[in-house]
């Protein structure tokens, strides 16, 4: 039997709670421990309990019945379940710990580690389950909350049900769903949104619709903002997974992106795949025809420059990374994210040192 004991702690968008809130939270925790002491509470080796700012995690075992207090849900606490390594970086706690939250009738999974603001929120690529960020997570600082989630039908999230599974939704709808999830999870803005590929569409719609909720943004090789020749005709819908995922209509999605207000995004960086990557690693499906690979490679870099111009962003180009730059060059993407977080905390523009970028496998676009 799993016994859940919500603390009802208040969520806060600040990096640290006021002292009276800390005192209240500590009192609530002690009251819960007193309540279960009659069951002879025994802490296991896996037990951890942290009360630090808005972060609290509890994992305990009750004996002799063998029942268990479930780890207090971070979605209730606006907090994280994780450990901090000797290098000061965030490590996921005992594997892939996720919670689910109902957002307008769909249970979405969310994983939260670390603590401190502004929270870094990952937006996965098409069909992504969050694992694409695993190379990156250990490189992020311990004093930052890190969030990844699953869109419907992905990463442990429930699929869209009934007629919704057959409907088509644009990136704005997906951005609204993410916003609802973060609010219900108690992860308060402002955020640093970090997207991969198609996730850039959602990031863009979030940034231009609720710019006051962003502290910064990093777009990793975003999917183009406008279609290339015959793309909408040949692939009218992007299926975000095969199990009740979002069906993104190409034409309508491009229209939403085109009509979105041009709002400069504070502290925004576009990290693009390397020049020539299409020729080095051509896709098996020649969906780009009648374009040649040389044309596709040149056009992709044009798309990346277009994103940087549209969002008034800095552009960084990887030396040798493919489409998933965060997998091929995690140090480069981590460097950019840390620079954005540091700039947000200092309330200044992003500062990227060309020499440091070079050491991490990238350079500033000219």
């Amino acid at each position: 039997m799993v016994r859940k004991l919500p603390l009802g702690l208040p969520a806060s968008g600040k990096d640290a709670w006021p002292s009276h809130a800390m005192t209240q939270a500590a009192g609530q925790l002690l009251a819960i421990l007193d309540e279960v002491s009659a069951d002879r509470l025994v802490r296991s080796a896996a037990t951890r309990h942290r009360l630090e700012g808005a972060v609290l995690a509890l994992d305990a075992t009750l004996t002799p019945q063998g029942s268990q207090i479930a780890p207090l849900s971070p979605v209730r606490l606006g907090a994280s379940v994780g450990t901090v390594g000797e290098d000061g970086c965030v490590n996921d706690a005992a594997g892939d710990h996720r919670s689910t939250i109902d957002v307008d009738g769909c249970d979405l999974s969310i994983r939260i580690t670390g603590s401190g603001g502004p929270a870094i929120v990952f937006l996965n690529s098409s069909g992504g389950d969050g694992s694409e960020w695993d190379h990156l997570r250990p490189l992020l600082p311990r004093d930052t909350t890190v969030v990844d989630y699953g869109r419907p039908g992905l990463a442990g999230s429930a699929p869209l049900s009934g007629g919704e599974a057959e409907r088509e939704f644009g990136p704005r709808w997906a951005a609204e769903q993410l916003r609802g999830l973060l609010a219900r999870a108690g992860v308060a803005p402002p955020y640093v949104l970090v997207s991969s590929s198609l996730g850039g569409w959602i990031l863009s719609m979030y940034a231009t619709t609720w710019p006051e909720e962003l502290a910064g943004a990093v777009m990793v090789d975003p999917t183009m903002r406008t279609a290339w020749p015959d793309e909408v005709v040949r692939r009218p819908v992007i299926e975000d997974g095969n199990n009740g995922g979002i069906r993104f209509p190409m034409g309508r999605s491009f229209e939403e992106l085109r009509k979105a207000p041009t709002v400069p995004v504070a502290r925004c960086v576009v990290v693009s795949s390397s020049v020539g990557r299409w020729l080095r690693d051509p896709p098996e499906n020649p969906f780009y025809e009648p374009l040649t690979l040389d044309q596709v490679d040149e056009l992709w870099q044009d798309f990346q420059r277009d994103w940087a111009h549209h969002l008034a962003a800095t552009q960084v180009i990887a030396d040798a990374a493919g489409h998933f730059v965060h997998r091929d060059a995690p140090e480069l993407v981590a460097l950019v994210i840390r620079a954005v977080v540091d700039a947000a905390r200092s309330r200044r523009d992003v500062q990227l040192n060309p020499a440091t970028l070079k050491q991490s496998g990238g350079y500033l676009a000219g």
Side-chain angles (χ1 to χ4, degrees), residues 19-324:
S19 58
H20 71 276
M22 290 285 287
T23 302
Q24 180 186 20
Q28 290 176 317
L29 176 59
L30 289 173
I32 286 178
L33 294 178
D34 287 342
E35 176 185 331
V36 299
S37 62
D39 294 314
R40 286 186 288 179
L41 177 69
V42 176
R43 288 186 294 174
S44 67
T47 299
R48 64 192 178 276
H49 46 119
R50 301 169 58 199
L51 182 60
E52 178 183 321
V55 181
L56 176 64
L58 175 65
D59 187 359
T61 303
L62 289 172
T63 58
Q65 296 88 346
S67 59
Q68 193 177 57
I69 296 179
L72 290 173
S73 171
V75 304
R76 292 177 179 266
L77 303 178
S80 69
V81 179
T83 60
V84 178
E86 293 180 358
D87 57 359
C89 292
V90 173
N91 302 313
D92 197 15
D96 188 20
H97 181 92
R98 291 182 176 271
S99 300
T100 58
I101 301 179
D102 179 277
V103 180
D104 298 328
C106 185
D107 288 335
L108 299 181
S109 71
I110 188 169
R111 175 173 56 169
I112 310 175
T113 57
S115 63
I120 298 168
V121 181
F122 288 127
L123 284 73
N124 304 331
S125 60
S126 175
D129 62 0
S131 62
E132 65 188 273
W133 306 105
D134 287 350
H135 290 85
L136 192 66
R137 297 176 77 96
L139 304 177
L140 300 177
R142 70 181 178 93
D143 61 346
T144 308
T145 301
V146 180
V147 179
D148 74 75
Y149 78 106
R151 293 190 293 270
L154 298 167
S157 293
L160 294 172
S161 58
E164 284 197 334
E166 302 300 322
R167 292 179 58 191
E168 297 175 355
F169 297 99
R172 179 184 172 85
W173 184 88
E176 291 173 345
Q177 188 182 60
L178 169 60
R179 188 170 185 247
L181 174 64
L182 292 173
R184 287 166 175 78
V187 183
Y191 313 115
V192 171
L193 300 184
V194 181
S195 66
S196 167
S197 191
L198 181 72
W201 285 3
I202 304 170
L203 185 156
S204 174
M205 294 306 298
Y206 200 118
T208 56
T209 308
W210 304 285
E212 70 283 356
E213 296 185 6
L214 261 64
V218 178
M219 302 180 81
V220 180
D221 217 38
T223 299
M224 59 278 194
R225 196 170 65 90
T226 56
W228 57 29
D230 298 328
E231 178 70 4
V232 174
V233 175
R234 286 182 286 115
R235 189 167 59 150
V237 176
I238 295 179
E239 302 278 355
D240 193 24
N242 299 318
N243 182 29
I246 300 172
R247 304 178 74 245
F248 290 97
M250 290 286 278
R252 198 173 92 203
S253 296
F254 287 133
E255 186 72 4
E256 284 187 11
L257 294 167
R258 185 184 68 81
K259 290 185 175 180
T262 303
V263 179
V265 178
R267 309 176 191 91
C268 183
V269 181
V270 175
V271 183
S272 304
S273 56
S274 63
V275 177
R277 65 101 170 169
W278 287 85
L279 291 92
R280 290 193 304 271
D281 187 23
E284 294 181 3
N285 176 20
F287 61 87
Y288 49 84
E289 293 180 348
L291 300 177
T292 66
L293 282 173
D294 287 293
Q295 290 173 322
V296 169
D297 199 83
E298 182 178 352
L299 188 57
W300 189 262
Q301 291 299 324
D302 287 341
F303 287 142
Q304 300 298 298
R305 286 189 288 271
D306 175 60
W307 271 119
H309 175 75
H310 178 67
L311 299 175
T314 301
Q315 186 186 5
V316 171
I317 303 176
D319 289 334
H323 183 46
F324 292 96

Side-chain angles (χ1 to χ4, degrees), residues 354-366:
T356 307
L357 284 173
K358 184 177 180 179
Q359 292 175 352
S360 299
Y363 58 94
L364 289 169

